[in-house]
Amino acid sequence: MAYALLDTIVDNYTYLLEYIGENIADLELQLLKTPSESLLTKINTHKQELHFIAKVIRPVKEMIKGLIRAESPIVNKKTTPYLKDLLDITTQATETIETFREILSDYLNIYHTNLSTKLNEIMKVLTVFSAIFIPLTFIAGVYGMNFQHMPELSYTWGYP
């Protein structure tokens, strides 16, 4: 009975991880097309979900290990190979979670890199405008003053 319950639980984890994996694959396509803040929210939500699932899987994995090591008449020796199979599946699920976490971290890095690239492009445009308008502003500031007597106005070679 315990094996049947554990098997059902572990199978549901596997289905859940497959579903999340499909969603993560969809995130990659969205990230490459149009990165947005909603996409950032989805990435962080998936990271939180994976953290929760990992927290839930660890005790099940430890319970299965305990059942395998147990020298109890309650645990039948015929079920030990099945329990080892469950342990393998939970280990695989844990590794899958870690892989998904790394993928999501990479997605976050790609998102931030895209934002930095856009910011750099904006800064280039602003720099060009600054290079044009700062000298013009200086000249307008000097000659736009309301002074009657400016030293360079009365001298022939005032500026040089």
Side-chain angles (χ1 to χ4, degrees):
M1 178 73 161
Y3 168 76
L5 288 172
L6 287 173
D7 186 42
T8 303
I9 291 169
V10 170
D11 284 344
N12 285 329
Y13 290 153
T14 305
Y15 297 137
L16 182 61
L17 288 175
E18 286 176 9
Y19 176 74
I20 290 175
E22 291 171 3
N23 287 340
I24 289 174
D26 292 341
L27 286 178
E28 181 179 14
L29 297 175
Q30 292 175 8
L31 180 67
L32 296 175
K33 285 183 181 177
T34 54
S36 63
E37 279 193 43
S38 65
L39 187 63
L40 182 64
T41 304
K42 288 178 185 178
I43 291 171
N44 287 325
T45 302
H46 284 304
K47 283 185 85 166
Q48 290 173 348
E49 289 171 350
L50 289 173
H51 179 69
F52 177 76
I53 294 169
K55 242 173 37 176
V56 173
I57 286 180
R58 280 188 203 113
V60 173
K61 186 175 178 180
E62 293 302 317
M63 184 187 311
I64 294 170
K65 283 181 183 178
L67 288 173
I68 290 171
R69 284 187 243 135
E71 303 265 336
S72 173
I74 298 173
V75 178
N76 191 347
K77 295 297 177 188
K78 293 178 184 177
T79 59
T80 303
Y82 299 111
L83 290 173
K84 287 183 180 179
D85 184 45
L86 277 180
L87 183 62
D88 289 341
I89 293 170
T90 54
T91 303
Q92 183 181 7
T94 305
E95 291 171 359
T96 302
I97 288 172
E98 290 305 315
T99 302
F100 287 162
R101 280 183 178 173
E102 289 174 11
I103 289 171
L104 289 173
S105 294
D106 290 343
Y107 288 173
L108 284 175
N109 288 337
I110 291 170
Y111 177 80
H112 291 300
T113 302
N114 285 341
L115 283 181
S116 294
T117 303
K118 287 181 182 178
L119 181 65
N120 286 340
E121 290 172 6
I122 291 170
M123 292 302 292
K124 284 179 190 177
V125 171
L126 291 177
T127 303
V128 168
F129 279 118
S130 296
I132 293 170
F133 286 109
I134 287 176
L136 294 176
T137 304
F138 175 74
I139 292 170
V142 169
Y143 288 105
M145 292 188 277
N146 291 327
F147 294 126
Q148 286 182 348
H149 302 289
M150 291 181 71
E152 68 267 7
L153 296 178
S154 60
Y155 298 118
T156 308
W157 298 100
Y159 283 112

